[in-house]
Amino acid sequence: MKTTFLENVIGYKFKNKNNLKLALNHRSISYYYNNERMEFLGDSLITFIIGEALLINFPEFREGFLSKVRADLVQSKTLAKLSNELKLGKYINFGLKKIKLQNNESILADTMEALIGAIYLDGGVNPTKKVVLSLFRNRLKKIKSSNFIKDPKTKLQEYLQYRQIKLPIYEIIYILNGKNEQNFLVKCCVEKYITTGIGYNRRNAEQKSANSLLKILNE
């Protein structure tokens, strides 16, 4: 299948088409002439480029939260979604063995990484950064949405890790059973400090107890 359309979609024209061809070769094609080495390189490049982008664009985020966001962005599920958005599956070359691509997250993610590795080998750092940041642009914009806003438990954990204090212990004290609902009473313990929280489920109660403890520590 011609790859010109793919090059147009990603915004990069390969000088050496063999780099692109190799990036699209599944290991079933050949023991040696496949994309696994490019995949290895691409994985490192994506992690680095996204890490740098987060560091530059979100100076208010601490290391723990940056790591969490980066892990979410570069995980196989996200890379597989990017592959589907690029319709990358249509271009992957397989051997004689029939391989179903539908829902095959691993192959799609690996090929995405190999493609980035191929761009780097073909054009260097700057074109690679340009392509990666373009592919992740919308996801980077959504970082401050509700999916990434730090909840009290996350804030408390980061606060304690930064100060090298042992992480909190959460414990259910009791569950109040009403006619139509349950209420959980949970305590949060950090060193000599203990706070409680009541919520409609365990997680909600833990968040409230963590928020109370954060207020004490910040005072």
Side-chain angles (χ1 to χ4, degrees):
M1 181 174 287
K2 291 184 178 179
T3 54
T4 305
F5 182 74
L6 176 60
E7 291 177 289
N8 290 335
V9 171
I10 64 175
Y12 180 78
K13 296 288 184 181
F14 280 83
K15 304 179 186 71
N16 183 348
K17 300 296 181 182
N18 285 329
N19 286 321
L20 177 56
K21 184 178 179 181
L22 185 58
L24 298 172
N25 277 359
H26 183 258
R27 64 176 174 270
S28 61
I29 283 281
S30 166
Y31 183 78
Y32 294 103
Y33 196 67
N34 63 57
N35 64 9
E36 288 184 330
R37 287 167 61 84
M38 284 188 174
E39 171 201 332
F40 166 78
L41 178 61
D43 177 36
S44 299
L45 288 164
I46 293 171
T47 301
F48 164 70
I49 293 168
I50 294 302
E52 182 186 51
L54 292 172
L55 192 70
I56 292 171
N57 292 296
F58 304 99
E60 72 275 21
F61 291 169
R62 291 197 177 276
E63 182 273 336
F65 189 65
L66 288 172
S67 296
K68 177 183 175 183
V69 176
R70 183 183 61 187
D72 186 89
L73 288 173
V74 305
Q75 66 175 312
S76 291
K77 184 180 293 186
T78 305
L79 296 177
K81 286 180 181 178
L82 281 172
S83 286
N84 282 324
E85 290 167 13
L86 297 176
K87 302 190 185 311
L88 198 54
K90 297 193 305 181
Y91 301 94
I92 301 175
N93 303 311
F94 294 102
L96 295 175
K97 183 180 178 182
K98 295 288 184 181
I99 297 177
K100 290 185 178 181
L101 260 182
Q102 187 176 9
N103 297 324
N104 200 320
E105 184 179 284
S106 177
I107 292 177
L108 290 170
D110 292 348
T111 306
M112 186 74 246
E113 291 172 342
L115 179 62
I116 298 305
I119 294 171
Y120 173 80
L121 291 175
D122 191 76
V125 174
N126 290 333
T128 307
K129 288 179 70 172
K130 183 178 179 181
V131 171
V132 171
L133 293 176
S134 175
L135 291 173
F136 283 86
R137 181 181 294 115
N138 291 334
R139 287 170 172 83
L140 287 168
K141 285 182 179 178
K142 291 178 181 178
I143 284 176
K144 290 191 176 181
S145 70
S146 58
N147 289 332
F148 289 100
I149 292 174
K150 290 183 279 188
D151 56 66
K153 284 184 68 176
T154 301
K155 288 181 181 179
L156 178 59
Q157 180 173 315
E158 291 181 3
Y159 179 100
L160 298 174
Q161 286 177 329
Y162 183 73
R163 291 162 178 79
Q164 297 183 332
I165 301 172
K166 286 185 178 180
L167 295 181
I169 296 173
Y170 297 94
E171 183 183 336
I172 296 177
I173 300 175
Y174 59 82
I175 302 173
L176 302 170
N177 291 301
K179 288 184 178 180
N180 300 314
E181 62 180 12
Q182 286 184 325
N183 283 310
F184 289 72
L185 178 62
V186 170
K187 70 177 180 179
C188 175
C189 307
V190 174
E191 295 187 336
K192 63 180 180 180
Y193 302 106
I194 298 175
T195 56
T196 59
I198 298 176
Y200 53 85
N201 59 30
R202 177 173 181 168
R203 177 174 173 77
N204 183 250
E206 288 177 349
Q207 297 287 13
K208 289 182 177 180
S209 62
N211 191 52
S212 296
L213 193 49
L214 266 173
K215 290 179 180 178
I216 293 173
L217 294 174
N218 285 322
E219 288 174 357

PDB file of all heavy atoms in Angstrom, residues 174-195:
ATOM      1  N   TYR A 174     -16.605   2.940  60.286  1.00  0.00           N
ATOM      2  CA  TYR A 174     -17.856   2.189  60.202  1.00  0.00           C
ATOM      3  C   TYR A 174     -18.670   2.673  58.996  1.00  0.00           C
ATOM      4  O   TYR A 174     -18.375   3.698  58.379  1.00  0.00           O
ATOM      5  CB  TYR A 174     -18.690   2.278  61.486  1.00  0.00           C
ATOM      6  CG  TYR A 174     -19.098   3.665  61.914  1.00  0.00           C
ATOM      7  CD1 TYR A 174     -20.204   4.307  61.366  1.00  0.00           C
ATOM      8  CD2 TYR A 174     -18.402   4.329  62.929  1.00  0.00           C
ATOM      9  CE1 TYR A 174     -20.579   5.568  61.784  1.00  0.00           C
ATOM     10  CE2 TYR A 174     -18.770   5.594  63.348  1.00  0.00           C
ATOM     11  CZ  TYR A 174     -19.862   6.212  62.769  1.00  0.00           C
ATOM     12  OH  TYR A 174     -20.225   7.461  63.188  1.00  0.00           O
ATOM     13  N   ILE A 175     -19.689   1.882  58.664  1.00  0.00           N
ATOM     14  CA  ILE A 175     -20.572   2.193  57.532  1.00  0.00           C
ATOM     15  C   ILE A 175     -21.972   2.402  58.081  1.00  0.00           C
ATOM     16  O   ILE A 175     -22.525   1.546  58.785  1.00  0.00           O
ATOM     17  CB  ILE A 175     -20.581   1.046  56.503  1.00  0.00           C
ATOM     18  CG1 ILE A 175     -19.165   0.783  55.987  1.00  0.00           C
ATOM     19  CG2 ILE A 175     -21.508   1.383  55.341  1.00  0.00           C
ATOM     20  CD1 ILE A 175     -19.058  -0.443  55.102  1.00  0.00           C
ATOM     21  N   LEU A 176     -22.536   3.558  57.778  1.00  0.00           N
ATOM     22  CA  LEU A 176     -23.888   3.883  58.217  1.00  0.00           C
ATOM     23  C   LEU A 176     -24.873   3.450  57.137  1.00  0.00           C
ATOM     24  O   LEU A 176     -24.797   3.904  55.996  1.00  0.00           O
ATOM     25  CB  LEU A 176     -24.021   5.386  58.467  1.00  0.00           C
ATOM     26  CG  LEU A 176     -23.060   5.988  59.504  1.00  0.00           C
ATOM     27  CD1 LEU A 176     -23.152   7.508  59.458  1.00  0.00           C
ATOM     28  CD2 LEU A 176     -23.403   5.494  60.894  1.00  0.00           C
ATOM     29  N   ASN A 177     -25.766   2.560  57.467  1.00  0.00           N
ATOM     30  CA  ASN A 177     -26.755   2.070  56.508  1.00  0.00           C
ATOM     31  C   ASN A 177     -28.081   2.793  56.710  1.00  0.00           C
ATOM     32  O   ASN A 177     -28.746   2.616  57.727  1.00  0.00           O
ATOM     33  CB  ASN A 177     -26.957   0.560  56.675  1.00  0.00           C
ATOM     34  CG  ASN A 177     -25.736  -0.226  56.233  1.00  0.00           C
ATOM     35  OD1 ASN A 177     -25.330  -0.126  55.080  1.00  0.00           O
ATOM     36  ND2 ASN A 177     -25.148  -0.992  57.138  1.00  0.00           N
ATOM     37  N   GLY A 178     -28.421   3.641  55.746  1.00  0.00           N
ATOM     38  CA  GLY A 178     -29.704   4.324  55.786  1.00  0.00           C
ATOM     39  C   GLY A 178     -30.729   3.585  54.951  1.00  0.00           C
ATOM     40  O   GLY A 178     -30.462   2.533  54.382  1.00  0.00           O
ATOM     41  N   LYS A 179     -31.894   4.141  54.842  1.00  0.00           N
ATOM     42  CA  LYS A 179     -32.965   3.499  54.077  1.00  0.00           C
ATOM     43  C   LYS A 179     -32.620   3.435  52.592  1.00  0.00           C
ATOM     44  O   LYS A 179     -32.867   2.438  51.925  1.00  0.00           O
ATOM     45  CB  LYS A 179     -34.281   4.261  54.278  1.00  0.00           C
ATOM     46  CG  LYS A 179     -34.895   4.080  55.662  1.00  0.00           C
ATOM     47  CD  LYS A 179     -36.237   4.783  55.734  1.00  0.00           C
ATOM     48  CE  LYS A 179     -36.882   4.576  57.110  1.00  0.00           C
ATOM     49  NZ  LYS A 179     -38.197   5.252  57.205  1.00  0.00           N
ATOM     50  N   ASN A 180     -32.082   4.522  52.080  1.00  0.00           N
ATOM     51  CA  ASN A 180     -31.834   4.587  50.640  1.00  0.00           C
ATOM     52  C   ASN A 180     -30.363   4.707  50.267  1.00  0.00           C
ATOM     53  O   ASN A 180     -30.030   4.728  49.081  1.00  0.00           O
ATOM     54  CB  ASN A 180     -32.594   5.785  50.037  1.00  0.00           C
ATOM     55  CG  ASN A 180     -34.090   5.682  50.253  1.00  0.00           C
ATOM     56  OD1 ASN A 180     -34.670   4.623  50.030  1.00  0.00           O
ATOM     57  ND2 ASN A 180     -34.694   6.769  50.702  1.00  0.00           N
ATOM     58  N   GLU A 181     -29.498   4.791  51.257  1.00  0.00           N
ATOM     59  CA  GLU A 181     -28.088   4.990  50.924  1.00  0.00           C
ATOM     60  C   GLU A 181     -27.186   4.552  52.078  1.00  0.00           C
ATOM     61  O   GLU A 181     -27.640   4.322  53.193  1.00  0.00           O
ATOM     62  CB  GLU A 181     -27.825   6.463  50.608  1.00  0.00           C
ATOM     63  CG  GLU A 181     -28.101   7.386  51.773  1.00  0.00           C
ATOM     64  CD  GLU A 181     -27.836   8.854  51.436  1.00  0.00           C
ATOM     65  OE1 GLU A 181     -27.661   9.185  50.251  1.00  0.00           O
ATOM     66  OE2 GLU A 181     -27.819   9.655  52.378  1.00  0.00           O
ATOM     67  N   GLN A 182     -25.891   4.440  51.740  1.00  0.00           N
ATOM     68  CA  GLN A 182     -24.876   4.148  52.737  1.00  0.00           C
ATOM     69  C   GLN A 182     -23.960   5.356  52.874  1.00  0.00           C
ATOM     70  O   GLN A 182     -23.727   6.079  51.912  1.00  0.00           O
ATOM     71  CB  GLN A 182     -24.027   2.943  52.329  1.00  0.00           C
ATOM     72  CG  GLN A 182     -24.710   1.607  52.456  1.00  0.00           C
ATOM     73  CD  GLN A 182     -23.762   0.474  52.124  1.00  0.00           C
ATOM     74  OE1 GLN A 182     -22.907   0.610  51.251  1.00  0.00           O
ATOM     75  NE2 GLN A 182     -23.900  -0.646  52.809  1.00  0.00           N
ATOM     76  N   ASN A 183     -23.455   5.563  54.079  1.00  0.00           N
ATOM     77  CA  ASN A 183     -22.442   6.584  54.319  1.00  0.00           C
ATOM     78  C   ASN A 183     -21.238   5.929  54.986  1.00  0.00           C
ATOM     79  O   ASN A 183     -21.390   5.177  55.952  1.00  0.00           O
ATOM     80  CB  ASN A 183     -22.983   7.711  55.214  1.00  0.00           C
ATOM     81  CG  ASN A 183     -23.879   8.652  54.444  1.00  0.00           C
ATOM     82  OD1 ASN A 183     -23.500   9.131  53.385  1.00  0.00           O
ATOM     83  ND2 ASN A 183     -25.074   8.908  54.954  1.00  0.00           N
ATOM     84  N   PHE A 184     -20.068   6.232  54.434  1.00  0.00           N
ATOM     85  CA  PHE A 184     -18.839   5.657  54.961  1.00  0.00           C
ATOM     86  C   PHE A 184     -18.107   6.690  55.818  1.00  0.00           C
ATOM     87  O   PHE A 184     -17.973   7.848  55.403  1.00  0.00           O
ATOM     88  CB  PHE A 184     -17.918   5.225  53.822  1.00  0.00           C
ATOM     89  CG  PHE A 184     -18.407   4.017  53.072  1.00  0.00           C
ATOM     90  CD1 PHE A 184     -19.494   4.100  52.221  1.00  0.00           C
ATOM     91  CD2 PHE A 184     -17.775   2.795  53.220  1.00  0.00           C
ATOM     92  CE1 PHE A 184     -19.944   2.989  51.523  1.00  0.00           C
ATOM     93  CE2 PHE A 184     -18.213   1.678  52.534  1.00  0.00           C
ATOM     94  CZ  PHE A 184     -19.306   1.775  51.677  1.00  0.00           C
ATOM     95  N   LEU A 185     -17.637   6.260  56.977  1.00  0.00           N
ATOM     96  CA  LEU A 185     -16.797   7.096  57.824  1.00  0.00           C
ATOM     97  C   LEU A 185     -15.384   6.517  57.765  1.00  0.00           C
ATOM     98  O   LEU A 185     -15.160   5.359  58.142  1.00  0.00           O
ATOM     99  CB  LEU A 185     -17.304   7.124  59.266  1.00  0.00           C
ATOM    100  CG  LEU A 185     -16.457   7.936  60.252  1.00  0.00           C
ATOM    101  CD1 LEU A 185     -16.416   9.408  59.850  1.00  0.00           C
ATOM    102  CD2 LEU A 185     -16.996   7.795  61.673  1.00  0.00           C
ATOM    103  N   VAL A 186     -14.455   7.319  57.254  1.00  0.00           N
ATOM    104  CA  VAL A 186     -13.077   6.857  57.048  1.00  0.00           C
ATOM    105  C   VAL A 186     -12.122   7.780  57.778  1.00  0.00           C
ATOM    106  O   VAL A 186     -12.337   8.996  57.834  1.00  0.00           O
ATOM    107  CB  VAL A 186     -12.740   6.841  55.540  1.00  0.00           C
ATOM    108  CG1 VAL A 186     -11.254   6.606  55.314  1.00  0.00           C
ATOM    109  CG2 VAL A 186     -13.548   5.766  54.836  1.00  0.00           C
ATOM    110  N   LYS A 187     -11.071   7.202  58.356  1.00  0.00           N
ATOM    111  CA  LYS A 187     -10.036   8.042  58.953  1.00  0.00           C
ATOM    112  C   LYS A 187      -8.758   7.954  58.126  1.00  0.00           C
ATOM    113  O   LYS A 187      -8.464   6.948  57.497  1.00  0.00           O
ATOM    114  CB  LYS A 187      -9.761   7.640  60.402  1.00  0.00           C
ATOM    115  CG  LYS A 187      -9.062   6.316  60.606  1.00  0.00           C
ATOM    116  CD  LYS A 187      -8.793   6.090  62.105  1.00  0.00           C
ATOM    117  CE  LYS A 187      -8.097   4.759  62.343  1.00  0.00           C
ATOM    118  NZ  LYS A 187      -7.816   4.526  63.788  1.00  0.00           N
ATOM    119  N   CYS A 188      -8.028   9.059  58.154  1.00  0.00           N
ATOM    120  CA  CYS A 188      -6.755   9.178  57.443  1.00  0.00           C
ATOM    121  C   CYS A 188      -5.675   9.485  58.482  1.00  0.00           C
ATOM    122  O   CYS A 188      -5.809  10.434  59.258  1.00  0.00           O
ATOM    123  CB  CYS A 188      -6.840  10.285  56.397  1.00  0.00           C
ATOM    124  SG  CYS A 188      -5.303  10.629  55.534  1.00  0.00           S
ATOM    125  N   CYS A 189      -4.617   8.668  58.488  1.00  0.00           N
ATOM    126  CA  CYS A 189      -3.564   8.823  59.492  1.00  0.00           C
ATOM    127  C   CYS A 189      -2.217   9.106  58.838  1.00  0.00           C
ATOM    128  O   CYS A 189      -1.787   8.371  57.952  1.00  0.00           O
ATOM    129  CB  CYS A 189      -3.437   7.562  60.339  1.00  0.00           C
ATOM    130  SG  CYS A 189      -4.982   7.008  61.081  1.00  0.00           S
ATOM    131  N   VAL A 190      -1.576  10.174  59.287  1.00  0.00           N
ATOM    132  CA  VAL A 190      -0.209  10.499  58.867  1.00  0.00           C
ATOM    133  C   VAL A 190       0.555  10.924  60.114  1.00  0.00           C
ATOM    134  O   VAL A 190       0.256  11.970  60.706  1.00  0.00           O
ATOM    135  CB  VAL A 190      -0.171  11.625  57.824  1.00  0.00           C
ATOM    136  CG1 VAL A 190       1.271  12.031  57.533  1.00  0.00           C
ATOM    137  CG2 VAL A 190      -0.864  11.194  56.541  1.00  0.00           C
ATOM    138  N   GLU A 191       1.501  10.084  60.527  1.00  0.00           N
ATOM    139  CA  GLU A 191       2.262  10.337  61.747  1.00  0.00           C
ATOM    140  C   GLU A 191       1.309  10.609  62.911  1.00  0.00           C
ATOM    141  O   GLU A 191       0.443   9.801  63.195  1.00  0.00           O
ATOM    142  CB  GLU A 191       3.270  11.475  61.516  1.00  0.00           C
ATOM    143  CG  GLU A 191       4.348  11.098  60.491  1.00  0.00           C
ATOM    144  CD  GLU A 191       5.443  12.137  60.359  1.00  0.00           C
ATOM    145  OE1 GLU A 191       5.222  13.312  60.674  1.00  0.00           O
ATOM    146  OE2 GLU A 191       6.552  11.753  59.937  1.00  0.00           O
ATOM    147  N   LYS A 192       1.393  11.777  63.528  1.00  0.00           N
ATOM    148  CA  LYS A 192       0.546  12.043  64.702  1.00  0.00           C
ATOM    149  C   LYS A 192      -0.819  12.614  64.326  1.00  0.00           C
ATOM    150  O   LYS A 192      -1.668  12.827  65.203  1.00  0.00           O
ATOM    151  CB  LYS A 192       1.252  13.020  65.643  1.00  0.00           C
ATOM    152  CG  LYS A 192       1.497  14.398  65.025  1.00  0.00           C
ATOM    153  CD  LYS A 192       2.206  15.318  66.012  1.00  0.00           C
ATOM    154  CE  LYS A 192       2.443  16.699  65.394  1.00  0.00           C
ATOM    155  NZ  LYS A 192       3.123  17.619  66.339  1.00  0.00           N
ATOM    156  N   TYR A 193      -1.026  12.869  63.049  1.00  0.00           N
ATOM    157  CA  TYR A 193      -2.268  13.519  62.611  1.00  0.00           C
ATOM    158  C   TYR A 193      -3.312  12.491  62.168  1.00  0.00           C
ATOM    159  O   TYR A 193      -3.004  11.545  61.446  1.00  0.00           O
ATOM    160  CB  TYR A 193      -1.986  14.482  61.462  1.00  0.00           C
ATOM    161  CG  TYR A 193      -0.988  15.562  61.802  1.00  0.00           C
ATOM    162  CD1 TYR A 193       0.310  15.500  61.298  1.00  0.00           C
ATOM    163  CD2 TYR A 193      -1.335  16.622  62.632  1.00  0.00           C
ATOM    164  CE1 TYR A 193       1.234  16.486  61.603  1.00  0.00           C
ATOM    165  CE2 TYR A 193      -0.418  17.612  62.952  1.00  0.00           C
ATOM    166  CZ  TYR A 193       0.869  17.540  62.438  1.00  0.00           C
ATOM    167  OH  TYR A 193       1.776  18.509  62.753  1.00  0.00           O
ATOM    168  N   ILE A 194      -4.539  12.703  62.595  1.00  0.00           N
ATOM    169  CA  ILE A 194      -5.662  11.836  62.207  1.00  0.00           C
ATOM    170  C   ILE A 194      -6.860  12.722  61.870  1.00  0.00           C
ATOM    171  O   ILE A 194      -7.227  13.616  62.637  1.00  0.00           O
ATOM    172  CB  ILE A 194      -6.062  10.875  63.343  1.00  0.00           C
ATOM    173  CG1 ILE A 194      -4.894   9.943  63.693  1.00  0.00           C
ATOM    174  CG2 ILE A 194      -7.277  10.046  62.927  1.00  0.00           C
ATOM    175  CD1 ILE A 194      -5.182   9.046  64.887  1.00  0.00           C
ATOM    176  N   THR A 195      -7.431  12.479  60.705  1.00  0.00           N
ATOM    177  CA  THR A 195      -8.649  13.201  60.319  1.00  0.00           C
ATOM    178  C   THR A 195      -9.672  12.175  59.838  1.00  0.00           C
ATOM    179  O   THR A 195      -9.329  11.039  59.524  1.00  0.00           O
ATOM    180  CB  THR A 195      -8.386  14.212  59.186  1.00  0.00           C
ATOM    181  OG1 THR A 195      -7.808  13.523  58.067  1.00  0.00           O
ATOM    182  CG2 THR A 195      -7.442  15.315  59.636  1.00  0.00           C
TER     183      THR A 195
END
